[in-house]
Amino acid sequence: MERTLAIIKPDAVAAQHVGAILQRIEGAGFEIRAMRLVRLSRADAEGFYAVHRERPFFGSLTAFMSSGPAVALALEAPEAIRKWRELMGATDPAKADAGTIRRDFGGSIEHNATHGSDAPETAAFELAYFFAGVELAGT
Ligand code: ATP
Ligand code: MG
C-alpha cells in the first residue's frame, strides 16, 4: 500500500465539484485515510510549493492556492501516487485525456482542480504538511 497527498484546489471547491471529485476517488478504489477543509495562508502556500519558488508562475500559483478553501486528502491504494496522477490527467486541462478530473473540472493550466504528490519523498513531505501523525494513525 502507498499513500499520496491530494488537494481539491480552490477553483474546484468554489465551483462545488468536491462531491463529484470524491466520487471519482472512491470509484477508482482509493481509501480516504484523512480529509480536511483547509484555508491556506499565502505563507502556507509558499511553503507547500517551495520547490517551485523560482518558476515564473510561483506568485500567481500561491495567490490562487490561498484564495479560498481547499480540501486536503490522504489517499491510499497500491501505487497511489501514480494512480492518482493518472486519474487527475495532465497538468494542463486542455492536454489532459478525456475522462480525467482535470479535463472535466479544470479551467486552465493553473486553475486545474486538483493536486497530487509526484514521488514517495514529496508524498511524505506533503502528507506531513497537512496531517499530524495522530490523524493518520490507526486508520
Ligand atoms: P500538482 O503539483 O499541482 O499536482 P503537476 O505536478 O501536474 O501539478 P507542477 O509542474 O508540479 O504540475 O505545477 C504545480 C502547479 O502549478 C500546477 O498544478 C498548476 O496549478 C501550476 N502550474 C504549473 N505550470 C504552470 C504554468 N505554466 N502556468 C501557471 N501555473 C502553472
Ligand atoms: Mg507537481
Side-chain angles (χ1 to χ4, degrees):
M1 280 296 173
E2 186 176 69
R3 284 177 180 174
T4 192
L5 189 276
I7 301 176
I8 303 176
K9 293 184 179 184
D11 59 324
V13 175
Q16 300 192 293
H17 290 143
V18 173
I21 292 171
L22 291 177
Q23 203 158 29
R24 291 194 187 197
I25 287 170
E26 293 190 321
F30 289 97
E31 298 240 31
I32 297 171
R33 292 305 190 188
M35 177 166 72
R36 175 142 39 83
L37 190 79
V38 293
R39 174 69 193 260
L40 300 184
S41 67
R42 188 70 179 264
D44 291 333
E46 288 170 355
F48 182 75
Y49 278 121
V51 293
H52 293 315
R53 194 167 291 281
E54 305 306 325
R55 307 277 281 273
F57 55 82
F58 183 71
S60 71
L61 174 62
T62 56
F64 162 56
M65 290 300 288
S66 57
S67 67
V71 177
L73 300 120
L75 302 182
E76 187 174 285
E79 290 193 81
I81 295 169
R82 186 192 57 73
K83 196 174 158 189
W84 171 236
R85 291 181 71 84
E86 200 174 281
L87 196 65
M88 289 197 297
T91 308
D92 183 351
K95 294 180 182 151
D97 289 344
T100 61
I101 290 171
R102 282 167 164 171
R103 175 68 168 266
D104 291 345
F105 302 114
S108 70
I109 192 167
E110 182 171 271
H111 295 192
N112 58 359
T114 52
H115 163 84
S117 309
D118 60 11
E121 302 70 38
T122 48
F125 167 79
E126 293 178 357
L127 286 163
Y129 204 82
F130 284 100
F131 300 110
V134 66
E135 293 176 279
L136 289 165
T139 57

